[in-house]
Amino acid sequence: MISVCMTTYNGERFIKQQLQSILMQLGEHDEVIAVDDGSTDETLAVIEALGDARVRVNVNRNNLGPMRSFELGLAQAKGEIIFLADQDDVWWPDKVSKMQKALDQGAWLAIHDAVVTDGELHELDGSWNHFNHNQFGRRVMSTVIKNPYTGAMMAFRRALLPKILPFPAKAPMHDWWIGAVCLKEHLPIATLPDQLMDYRRHGGNVTGNGHHIGEMIRSRLGMVDALCHYQSGAKPEGGLHD
């Protein structure tokens, strides 16, 4: 079974196209868990209008932000393989099959490249890894300095959940934490060079935006602190499940 965990927030413009691109690749017993973070537009109505029972929507009573919303979605996931998804991208038709193959071959975490586009899907760069200067090494500290892991391009085994949840309060972002934990645990990571989706950058993105230098320093110090307190399979301090 495959679970796709997605967070939504005022995503009425793109959510239908994204969900359609995902659902066409899933089986009848797979699921999409959408955690809505208090949308004030027609996001929920657009999802409901799709009429697909594989999509389960949970609405936060308070705005929690993307990391805590993803944490809630992951806690409800039933699948043996879990994908993360943003609300505004477009998955290519072979994304699920290629990522599943990488996990079936032994990887605990798989991550792929993407084509960077604007809101109208006009290409800005043929590679997100090139655009964002991503470098995938095997050292935890290199990932602390520069995070190359983008959640919207990730899939992983269910067995990883006890190692990453709940997300520590000082971890800056969920995808950064997931990648760092895999490196710290020396778990197999498959880095696919394939572009497997259109990654929209349109100014209104909830994830993947740049930060000021002060915030960058604080986030890296927070990541170091979280990793220093990490114990394999233990519950890190700070998450929604305390």
Side-chain angles (χ1 to χ4, degrees), residues 19 29 50 54 59 68 70 90 94 96-97 125-126 133 135 150 156 162-164 173 186 189 209 212 216 233 236 240:
L19 281 173
H29 300 296
L50 285 173
R54 293 173 294 177
V59 181
R68 295 303 164 204
F70 270 114
V90 179
D94 55 350
V96 168
S97 61
D125 195 300
H133 309 290
Q135 296 290 330
T150 303
F156 50 86
K163 298 180 181 294
I164 61 173
M173 207 59 184
H186 304 289
I189 300 172
N209 289 320
H212 297 296
M216 292 171 65
L240 292 170

Side-chain angles (χ1 to χ4, degrees), residues 52-115:
D52 196 310
R54 293 173 294 177
V55 182
R56 295 193 285 121
V57 179
N58 296 271
V59 181
N60 295 338
R61 285 178 289 182
N62 302 302
N63 187 280
L64 299 176
M67 185 166 77
R68 295 303 164 204
S69 295
F70 270 114
E71 181 175 291
L72 286 171
L74 289 170
Q76 298 175 57
K78 300 175 182 176
E80 291 302 315
I81 293 178
I82 299 171
F83 285 77
L84 303 182
D86 288 349
Q87 65 182 355
D88 39 19
D89 303 320
V90 179
W91 287 18
W92 292 6
D94 55 350
K95 168 167 171 159
V96 168
S97 61
K98 287 188 173 181
M99 294 288 275
Q100 187 168 7
K101 181 179 180 181
L103 295 170
D104 288 344
Q105 290 176 341
W108 276 56
L109 170 69
I111 188 161
H112 64 80
D113 200 359
V115 171

Side-chain angles (χ1 to χ4, degrees), residues 44-241:
L44 295 176
V46 172
I47 296 174
E48 184 178 1
L50 285 173
D52 196 310
R54 293 173 294 177
V55 182
R56 295 193 285 121
V57 179
N58 296 271
V59 181
N60 295 338
R61 285 178 289 182
N62 302 302
N63 187 280
L64 299 176
M67 185 166 77
R68 295 303 164 204
S69 295
F70 270 114
E71 181 175 291
L72 286 171
L74 289 170
Q76 298 175 57
K78 300 175 182 176
E80 291 302 315
I81 293 178
I82 299 171
F83 285 77
L84 303 182
D86 288 349
Q87 65 182 355
D88 39 19
D89 303 320
V90 179
W91 287 18
W92 292 6
D94 55 350
K95 168 167 171 159
V96 168
S97 61
K98 287 188 173 181
M99 294 288 275
Q100 187 168 7
K101 181 179 180 181
L103 295 170
D104 288 344
Q105 290 176 341
W108 276 56
L109 170 69
I111 188 161
H112 64 80
D113 200 359
V115 171
V116 186
T117 77
D118 63 14
E120 304 305 319
L121 296 181
H122 299 130
E123 184 175 317
L124 302 177
D125 195 300
S127 166
W128 169 243
N129 289 334
H130 171 264
F131 186 85
N132 200 46
H133 309 290
N134 293 332
Q135 296 290 330
F136 296 94
R138 295 302 304 174
R139 296 175 60 238
V140 177
M141 284 310 300
S142 65
T143 297
V144 170
I145 294 168
K146 173 69 172 70
N147 175 33
Y149 293 95
T150 303
M153 301 167 205
M154 280 184 174
F156 50 86
R157 297 185 185 192
R158 180 178 189 80
L160 189 58
L161 288 180
K163 298 180 181 294
I164 61 173
L165 291 182
F167 297 135
K170 292 188 178 181
M173 207 59 184
H174 59 284
D175 48 12
W176 204 349
W177 176 248
I178 293 168
V181 167
C182 286
L183 291 173
K184 188 174 178 66
E185 291 277 358
H186 304 289
L187 298 173
I189 300 172
T191 306
L192 280 66
D194 312 58
Q195 289 81 25
L196 297 180
M197 72 180 200
D198 294 317
Y199 189 45
R200 276 192 170 110
R201 304 285 83 196
H202 52 80
N205 298 87
V206 176
T207 62
N209 289 320
H211 304 290
H212 297 296
I213 185 67
E215 185 177 351
M216 292 171 65
I217 293 172
R218 286 192 297 273
S219 66
R220 281 152 181 80
L221 291 175
M223 178 64 87
V224 170
D225 183 85
L227 287 168
C228 286
H229 288 89
Y230 173 79
Q231 294 181 352
S232 177
K235 298 295 184 184
E237 296 179 358
L240 292 170
H241 307 288

